[in-house]
């Protein structure tokens, strides 16, 4: 059996847009994730279209009930 590695070769005119704004954090309290995206035009671009990072909002109250 012969294995052949295949690669997408980028087209010279293919370009990424600038990164968009970061999204809001995925949670309203505690640790979550935010992301931003970019789009490829003109062919096949190398690299990711989406970027993720962690975020931390205010601490959650822990389910305590005020009386």
């Amino acid at each position: 059996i012969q294995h052949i590695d295949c690669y997408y070769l980028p087209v010279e005119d293919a370009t990424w847009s600038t990164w968009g704004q970061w999204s809001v954090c995925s949670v309203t309290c505690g640790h979550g994730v935010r992301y931003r995206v970019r789009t490829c035009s003109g062919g096949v671009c190398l690299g990711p279209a989406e970027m993720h990072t962690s975020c931390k909002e205010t601490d959650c109250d822990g389910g305590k009930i005020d009386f």
Side-chain angles (χ1 to χ4, degrees):
I1 298 174
Q2 182 180 6
H3 294 283
I4 300 173
D5 292 328
C6 297
Y7 299 95
Y8 286 105
L9 296 176
V11 177
E12 288 186 31
D13 293 338
T15 56
W16 284 112
S17 66
T18 57
W19 286 104
Q21 296 291 321
W22 285 105
S23 68
V24 296
C25 193
S26 61
V27 296
T28 56
C29 67
H31 295 277
V33 176
R34 66 180 69 211
Y35 67 93
R36 63 183 182 171
V37 297
R38 61 183 178 170
T39 56
C40 177
S41 61
V44 177
C45 294
L46 297 178
E50 207 167 285
M51 184 184 295
H52 299 86
T53 190
S54 60
C55 53
K56 183 176 187 302
E57 298 297 322
T58 59
D59 290 333
C60 300
D61 101 13
K64 295 178 184 175
I65 300 173
D66 292 331
F67 288 91

